[in-house]
Amino acid sequence: MRRGWWSCAGIGAVACLAGSSIAADEEAVVSPPVRIDPGSASNRFGLEFSATARGLEVAAVWMKRPVPEGQSNIILRRAYSADGGVTWTLDDFDSPDGSMSREVDPMTAYDPRTGAMWVGAKAGQKRLFVSKRDLEASGFDAAVNAFSSSVDGVDKCWMAAGPKPGVADSTRIYIASALPSGVDLLWSDDLGATWSTPINANAGSGKCPRIGADGELYIGGVSGLNIRLTRSTSLDTNGVPVFLTASTAATVQSGHNEDWYPGNFRVPRIACIAVDPSDSKKVHAVWADKTNAVGSRVNVDLYWTMTEDATATTVSWRTPEIILGGESIEGDQFFPWIEMDEYGRLHLLFMDGRQNPDQKDRGEDGATNDALFDVYYACTPDDGETWEQHRLTPNSFNVLDSGPPRVGPGASGLFFGDYLGMAVSGKRVYPFYGAIAGDPARAEAFTNHITIGEIGSIVQFTTVKGAVQSGDEDELRHSDDQRLIVRSPPPFNPTVPLETIIDVDVEIIPGADEFDIRIEGLASGSSVTGTIRIWNFETAAFDLLGTYTAAELVDGNFYRRGLKPEGTSPGGDWDYVRDLDNVVILRLEQSMPQVPSGDPLDSEYDLVRIVAVEE
């Protein structure tokens, strides 16, 4: 059913590359890709991402390069979703002076104590700015400057929010960034309204900040050939972080440059870190590095290490490992971004060239003809003993189609951004990345909905209205290409709408207090309205979960998340919509007006899933 550019083979393919298999209730359920900004027209999007989330609320920021091309007019695109990424509110995110010129390097943060989230970026190479969104607010506050300079030097900024050391009910926001005069860290203790004078944390390049549960500040960076962790567990009497001696997690190969990669596009060396929310002394680090070379062709893989005593005077790190089978997979892996959830799972997002190891016979790395890649997501629940992998992009894309070469002093080669972005909240994961799509081909912003949970088993489906043309419950549950087709023949009465209705009975795990309901369907008409309902056993009626407008059959995916209706649950769990055997019933309906030609309504489904989540 997945036609057009996103015609798919391989979405959700799982590979456990080390250790035992991951338990079913821990596996990630991954949606088809979702293009976030379908109204982008001829503009180019999808260059560098940052995202944060609080439950179903998600905020993301990325770079937008409008037409005419060039880096001089790069601005930011901001997206907010209140329903787990089903629908998005989008706007151009502008700096306080309204220049909308070279606003790049997006950053985000979230504070669970206050429920506030922040988005930010740099403006040119002289300023940093941020905007806050409070819990239950209708929108983001106006942007404020966090740092301003009369000279250039601002680069690569990221944020983190958390408590001050030893003060559990406090909130401090840090921004780590290269700044003029050699400083690289500033903070705010009033939720981003005002900011400190920057100090020098000596964090190296990259500067990925994280805050532990007890206020520990960690900054991952690269210093020379060292992957380094900068650490602070206390403040002085003026509230300034007191830093321990930086710890070296690993060393890397020398000579890193664009020639290590096909396409000759920029891939900066960045080390990304994650802190275990339940154990602030446990820190993970991931980076890309050369594994070997055959002639001038370099193999780049992802490396991982971790420590369980990050606050110790002398930190003990595991021996760095090549992860995800990279040493045995042709093609490069790079642009890693990692997050860790409160359940102890490490989540990883990265670019991957395994599907096209020969890059269309391009020959050597650094060539300017093809640079074919995919985006992958992986997670591990056991500190790297087992990794589960999912290919997010169903077709490889050519990075060279993202736009023209970089411009400006000292710039060369192609620019596809410098990093990806990902937000994790509970058992939900929201990856954000650029991929090439459209005509003309261009970089677009995409995401997927990922839920860690157990997929419900379809017990049966019942055709309430219409006639089944093909398909059965097994195909409805598992397939990508075998479709359940239900047809409503025309009654040849223009005042009577055509309708197809099927009920799907799904058995879910006991004890679930939250569901993600996912439906993918198409219809044969252009004016078809679809609804998703769930049976309420207390009221003996169907509760409406959502509506959608179906596209014509030629192209389109309908991926909908059914959310718990407010005000209908007596106990705050989902008992009222399941029977004693833990079966829930979905009603899927499509309808359209009669058309003069008397054509039938064909409703197609090839994916119906319920993921039951135990929080």
Side-chain angles (χ1 to χ4, degrees):
M1 179 186 285
R2 300 184 179 100
R3 300 178 176 88
W5 188 80
W6 288 117
S7 61
C8 169
I11 288 182
V14 177
C16 296
L17 297 180
S20 60
S21 297
I22 295 174
D25 62 353
E26 294 178 335
E27 290 182 357
V29 180
V30 183
S31 82
V34 177
R35 180 178 168 189
I36 307 172
D37 197 352
S40 59
S42 61
N43 289 341
R44 281 180 162 81
F45 288 76
L47 304 175
E48 299 184 3
F49 293 80
S50 186
T52 192
R54 55 185 181 203
L56 291 172
E57 293 184 81
V58 193
V61 187
W62 65 91
M63 291 164 53
K64 165 186 174 181
R65 182 167 58 187
V67 176
E69 306 292 355
Q71 274 197 293
S72 61
N73 61 342
I74 288 178
I75 58 178
L76 293 170
R77 192 70 163 156
R78 176 171 58 188
Y80 171 79
S81 175
D83 54 15
V86 175
T87 59
W88 294 93
T89 301
L90 299 122
D91 63 353
D92 289 335
F93 180 34
D94 193 14
S95 61
D97 71 351
S99 65
M100 296 187 73
S101 176
R102 286 194 56 77
E103 294 166 348
V104 296
D105 289 0
M107 57 181 174
T108 55
Y110 166 61
D111 174 40
R113 283 154 296 280
T114 62
M117 55 172 59
W118 293 266
V119 298
K122 72 171 186 176
Q125 290 187 306
K126 293 184 172 66
R127 288 182 293 124
L128 297 170
F129 63 99
V130 298
S131 174
K132 177 169 65 76
R133 186 180 186 120
D134 288 315
L135 185 65
E136 299 182 352
S138 60
F140 287 91
D141 296 341
V144 299
N145 283 324
F147 174 81
S148 297
S149 171
S150 60
V151 297
D152 290 345
V154 178
D155 196 22
K156 289 291 172 294
C157 50
W158 282 288
M159 305 174 70
K164 296 179 183 179
V167 187
D169 61 350
S170 64
T171 296
R172 171 171 281 196
I173 318 164
Y174 288 100
I175 298 178
S177 173
L179 300 172
S181 302
V183 294
D184 57 9
L185 184 71
L186 64 156
W187 59 90
S188 172
D189 291 330
D190 55 10
L191 302 183
T194 61
W195 292 82
S196 71
T197 300
I199 66 168
N200 183 14
N202 194 26
S205 62
K207 300 179 177 59
C208 176
R210 307 288 195 189
I211 301 177
D214 295 323
E216 303 92 340
L217 170 64
Y218 300 106
I219 307 174
V222 182
S223 179
L225 297 181
N226 294 323
I227 304 298
R228 195 168 66 173
L229 185 70
T230 301
R231 308 169 292 152
S232 175
T233 60
S234 63
L235 308 178
D236 68 14
T237 56
N238 295 315
V240 178
V242 177
F243 289 97
L244 304 172
T245 302
S247 174
T248 297
T251 58
V252 293
Q253 300 286 340
S254 62
H256 181 268
N257 58 58
E258 286 92 340
D259 290 341
W260 283 14
Y261 307 90
N264 194 32
F265 64 100
R266 186 171 76 178
V267 181
R269 175 166 268 167
I270 294 173
C272 189
I273 63 170
V275 179
D276 191 326
S278 61
D279 183 358
S280 293
K281 295 181 180 180
K282 184 182 288 187
V283 178
H284 298 258
V286 176
W287 65 96
D289 198 9
K290 178 172 71 175
T291 297
N292 55 44
V294 178
S296 61
R297 190 169 180 176
V298 176
N299 181 28
V300 178
D301 296 312
L302 297 183
Y303 287 73
W304 163 84
T305 184
M306 64 169 291
T307 178
E308 296 183 275
D309 59 0
T311 61
T313 302
T314 301
V315 180
S316 176
W317 293 90
R318 289 193 186 183
T319 301
E321 301 175 16
I322 302 173
I323 56 174
L324 308 174
E327 68 272 32
S328 61
I329 297 175
E330 290 190 62
D332 301 324
Q333 290 81 46
F334 56 97
F335 278 178
W337 191 265
I338 57 172
E339 300 284 348
M340 198 163 195
D341 65 34
E342 57 264 41
Y343 302 97
R345 296 183 187 86
L346 187 67
H347 305 269
L348 174 63
L349 185 69
F350 58 100
M351 295 269 284
D352 190 287
R354 76 183 69 180
Q355 302 294 334
N356 302 278
D358 295 326
Q359 299 287 299
K360 291 186 178 178
D361 300 320
R362 59 172 173 78
E364 304 297 328
D365 286 322
T368 57
N369 44 343
D370 295 300
L372 299 167
F373 289 99
D374 287 275
V375 177
Y376 272 71
Y377 160 78
C379 63
T380 174
D382 46 23
D383 292 339
E385 293 298 319
T386 55
W387 287 93
E388 173 191 349
Q389 294 192 65
H390 295 260
R391 182 184 179 189
L392 300 184
T393 46
N395 291 335
S396 302
F397 55 89
N398 194 335
V399 172
L400 271 70
D401 288 334
S402 66
R406 289 183 284 144
V407 297
S412 63
L414 184 73
F415 180 68
F416 192 63
D418 291 342
Y419 49 89
L420 308 179
M422 179 169 51
V424 174
S425 182
K427 296 187 178 182
R428 293 181 176 85
V429 183
Y430 308 100
F432 293 88
Y433 53 91
I436 307 301
D439 184 14
R442 58 189 180 271
E444 300 283 357
F446 285 92
T447 187
N448 302 74
H449 311 145
I450 301 175
T451 304
I452 311 296
E454 183 169 309
I455 302 173
S457 299
I458 288 181
V459 178
Q460 66 177 359
F461 78 90
T462 303
T463 302
V464 179
K465 194 164 189 177
V468 174
Q469 304 299 297
S470 66
D472 58 34
E473 64 268 26
D474 187 61
E475 292 171 342
L476 184 66
R477 162 67 173 80
H478 291 292
S479 77
D480 279 334
D481 301 315
Q482 299 299 317
R483 304 184 297 278
L484 173 75
I485 302 177
V486 179
R487 171 171 292 180
S488 175
F492 304 104
N493 184 341
T495 64
V496 178
L498 301 182
E499 290 183 304
T500 58
I501 303 174
I502 63 171
D503 288 347
V504 185
D505 296 5
V506 186
E507 182 179 359
I508 53 89
I509 59 175
D513 56 9
E514 187 175 346
F515 294 157
D516 286 337
I517 299 171
R518 304 181 171 195
I519 311 296
E520 183 177 296
L522 290 173
S524 57
S526 60
S527 57
V528 176
T529 298
T531 60
I532 305 169
R533 304 175 190 271
I534 192 167
W535 181 254
N536 186 329
F537 285 93
E538 288 189 348
T539 63
F542 280 100
D543 292 336
L544 178 66
L545 290 176
T547 63
Y548 60 90
T549 301
E552 293 185 3
L553 196 61
V554 292
D555 192 8
N557 292 327
F558 288 94
Y559 178 88
R560 289 295 180 264
R561 178 185 297 260
L563 303 178
K564 186 175 180 178
E566 294 184 2
T568 55
S569 171
D573 51 25
W574 278 88
D575 289 340
Y576 76 111
V577 293
R578 59 184 168 195
D579 65 11
L580 296 178
D581 295 322
N582 289 298
V583 171
V584 301
I585 302 173
L586 299 180
R587 171 157 288 186
L588 312 179
E589 180 176 359
Q590 292 187 353
S591 64
M592 75 173 184
Q594 284 288 295
V595 294
S597 63
D599 291 336
L601 167 61
D602 282 344
S603 300
E604 300 191 10
Y605 301 94
D606 76 358
L607 179 65
V608 175
R609 286 178 174 172
I610 294 184
V611 180
V613 180
E614 293 181 279
E615 296 292 355

